[in-house]
Amino acid sequence: MKLLKLTGFIFFLFFLTESLTLPTQPRDIENFNSTQKFIEDNIEYITIIAFAQYVQEATFEEMEKLVKDMVEYKDRCMADKTLPECSKLPNNVLQEKICAMEGLPQKHNFSHCCSKVDAQRRLCFFYNKKSDVGFLPPFPTLDPEEKCQAYESNRESLLNQFTFEYSRRHPDLSIPELLRIVQIYKDLLRNCCNTENPPGCYRYAEDKFNETTEKSLKMVQQECKHFQNLGKDGLKYHYLIRLTKIAPQLSTEELVSLGEKMVTAFTTCCTLSEEFACVDNLADLVFGELCGVNENRTINPAVDHCCKTNFAFRRPCFESLKADKTYVPPPFSQDLFTFHADMCQSQNEELQRKTDRFLVNLVKLKHELTDEELQSLFTNFANVVDKCCKAESPEVCFNEESPKIGN
């Protein structure tokens, strides 16, 4: 499984998740296949959102020029990924193109960001975001009848304008969340413009936007609350159980890796003011890696369904998954519950890896148990390790205590 490089990408991920990047090296292609069509279909929206949050003062016309440039860049890289410009992160290319737009940095006061490069420039753009959007002009509005006429005659421009205006007024929202809202807006237009009363249908638009945002926000708040209550290790064990239950067909090492990366997302994000966008982007990145595996070998029907669903709604789909009922656990083996004195000689990191692998294998073996029952067995294991490593004869202690763990 391709390893995620979270360190150093954090601020990049506030704007554009790694799972949305174009392939730049041969090793990237396998994990890229699952989102290739999404990028091809949505590069305009991704660019609009990123630009609108980078340079909130920009005009719609300036945004249209940038979108055109980025679509051409995407087309070139899809045709020939060996081109020099295609070896760069698309987010860096986007910022370079923004900085190269004649007079734009001076006009909107971000020339100081353009004098920096890569990570420092991304960080500068991040701090350039303004939460108080009172300086923006009123949100351009059309009455429902005019919206429907525009939807029929110039649909792309209407959707692009909505995406641009909504994104620059909500710099706190993540890329996936804004894509969810854009999809809701699309569905709303299609449905309302086919009713006899478009005004009556469209009057609840803002409620629908707020509803999906509140739902996503509650999800993030709950996850960060888990982190606060459980601590880093407790949160990791929580996600090792959860991920193993929904995708037990993955290898132990793959599940341990995914659990570690999920915890990295929460420990990185849950103490930041941009908590919502950070968690949403990074957690989606982990599920993107899971879907990269699923692209090469179907894990199970439920995971396959979430990986193939509308990209913007992929993470909510995963969050709703329960334990995989198609999974057949391996035969019981007492070896899983047999430990020796060498456990006590392990260094902290090695002991942690052994502990993580034990928990994943425990969930694989006793897949039918509740989370609470699994946590109880895991606590028994931790208590036995602690007790025996303090005993005068650890080996004798493990021989006596190990069989009790699985009971």
Side-chain angles (χ1 to χ4, degrees):
M1 187 190 297
K2 176 185 171 186
L3 294 178
L4 293 175
K5 297 179 180 177
L6 295 177
T7 306
F9 281 86
I10 300 304
F11 288 102
F12 163 62
L13 290 163
F14 280 136
F15 308 108
L16 192 60
T17 61
E18 176 76 1
S19 50
L20 299 184
T21 62
L22 300 175
T24 58
Q25 301 293 338
R27 67 178 181 274
D28 293 335
I29 300 300
E30 287 185 356
N31 282 357
F32 172 70
N33 287 339
S34 62
T35 52
Q36 179 173 354
K37 187 177 186 302
F38 175 82
I39 296 175
E40 291 173 344
D41 293 343
N42 294 276
I43 188 68
E44 293 92 343
Y45 294 130
I46 296 168
T47 300
I48 292 168
I49 291 170
F51 182 51
Q53 291 190 326
Y54 283 152
V55 190
Q56 292 158 278
E57 302 90 344
T59 65
F60 184 72
E61 291 71 27
E62 290 166 337
M63 177 275 295
E64 286 185 309
K65 182 180 184 305
L66 181 66
V67 167
K68 181 175 180 293
D69 286 348
M70 286 299 290
V71 169
E72 291 174 353
Y73 157 74
K74 182 265 300 185
D75 290 341
R76 289 194 298 273
C77 291
M78 297 298 291
D80 183 2
K81 63 180 179 294
T82 65
L83 294 172
E85 66 177 332
C86 301
S87 65
K88 301 178 181 179
L89 286 172
N91 195 58
N92 287 344
V93 174
L94 173 65
Q95 292 180 353
E96 288 172 5
K97 289 184 178 296
I98 291 173
C99 290
M101 293 176 73
E102 186 175 355
L104 192 72
Q106 295 77 22
K107 177 182 177 183
H108 299 306
N109 300 316
F110 61 90
S111 300
H112 59 291
C113 292
C114 295
S115 64
K116 305 178 188 298
V117 296
D118 298 341
Q120 289 300 316
R121 184 174 56 209
R122 291 195 296 271
L123 185 58
C124 184
F125 270 113
F126 170 72
Y127 284 119
N128 199 54
K129 291 165 62 175
K130 304 172 181 67
S131 58
D132 183 355
V133 294
F135 63 91
L136 293 175
F139 199 113
T141 58
L142 297 172
D143 66 44
E145 295 293 346
E146 291 174 324
K147 277 191 177 72
C148 290
Q149 291 175 8
Y151 182 69
E152 294 300 327
S153 62
N154 197 357
R155 185 173 307 178
E156 182 178 354
S157 179
L158 177 65
L159 292 172
N160 286 352
Q161 184 171 40
F162 170 80
T163 306
F164 175 71
E165 295 293 350
Y166 200 92
S167 298
R168 67 175 179 161
R169 286 170 171 78
H170 295 85
D172 56 315
L173 297 186
S174 65
I175 296 281
E177 179 59 26
L178 287 164
L179 289 172
R180 288 173 207 132
I181 290 170
V182 170
Q183 185 60 48
I184 290 170
Y185 184 65
K186 285 184 186 178
D187 295 340
L188 196 65
L189 286 174
R190 184 180 64 251
N191 295 334
C192 291
C193 292
N194 286 318
T195 66
E196 294 182 356
N197 183 20
C201 174
Y202 194 77
R203 65 187 294 187
Y204 300 107
E206 194 64 36
D207 291 341
K208 291 183 179 294
F209 303 152
N210 291 338
E211 182 181 343
T212 185
T213 299
E214 288 170 8
K215 184 177 179 181
S216 299
L217 180 59
K218 285 180 181 177
M219 191 186 305
V220 168
Q221 289 173 334
Q222 183 178 22
E223 288 161 337
C224 287
K225 187 175 180 180
H226 278 148
F227 168 56
Q228 293 165 359
N229 292 339
L230 300 175
K232 183 177 179 180
D233 287 341
L235 185 67
K236 179 168 64 173
Y237 302 144
H238 167 80
Y239 271 97
L240 287 176
I241 291 174
R242 173 157 176 70
L243 289 166
T244 306
K245 280 201 164 189
I246 67 174
Q249 296 85 356
L250 291 180
S251 72
T252 299
E253 291 304 319
E254 286 172 328
L255 287 162
V256 169
S257 176
L258 286 170
E260 288 174 345
K261 289 161 190 170
M262 189 66 81
V263 171
T264 297
F266 296 127
T267 55
T268 299
C269 299
C270 288
T271 56
L272 298 175
S273 59
E274 294 284 333
E275 172 184 283
F276 178 29
C278 181
V279 169
D280 208 26
N281 283 332
L282 284 183
D284 183 79
L285 174 56
V286 178
F287 289 125
E289 181 170 352
L290 179 58
C291 287
V293 176
N294 187 75
E295 182 73 18
N296 297 321
R297 65 180 198 272
T298 300
I299 296 169
N300 61 52
V303 169
D304 191 51
H305 166 73
C306 287
C307 288
K308 291 179 178 177
T309 197
N310 182 307
F311 182 90
F313 295 91
R314 183 171 68 184
R315 180 164 170 254
C317 181
F318 274 110
E319 293 295 343
S320 67
L321 290 187
K322 306 298 182 185
D324 177 29
K325 294 183 179 179
T326 68
Y327 174 68
V328 179
F332 177 83
S333 172
Q334 187 59 46
D335 289 346
L336 175 63
F337 301 99
T338 301
F339 305 97
H340 302 284
D342 61 352
M343 284 286 290
C344 307
Q345 298 166 0
S346 301
Q347 298 298 319
N348 287 343
E349 187 173 339
E350 183 186 358
L351 179 60
Q352 189 62 62
R353 296 291 291 182
K354 289 181 178 180
T355 300
D356 295 346
R357 287 196 293 269
F358 169 78
L359 179 56
V360 168
N361 289 328
L362 176 66
V363 179
K364 284 173 174 274
L365 182 66
K366 296 180 175 289
H367 198 249
E368 77 287 354
L369 297 185
T370 66
D371 290 4
E372 291 74 19
E373 290 170 328
L374 288 165
Q375 285 279 9
S376 178
L377 288 176
F378 182 64
T379 300
N380 290 345
F381 158 76
N383 290 339
V384 165
V385 172
D386 182 63
K387 175 181 178 180
C388 292
C389 286
K390 293 177 180 177
E392 185 174 336
S393 177
E395 189 68 28
V396 172
C397 178
F398 276 122
N399 288 338
E400 294 175 351
E401 298 293 331
S402 292
K404 302 177 185 177
I405 295 175
N407 298 326

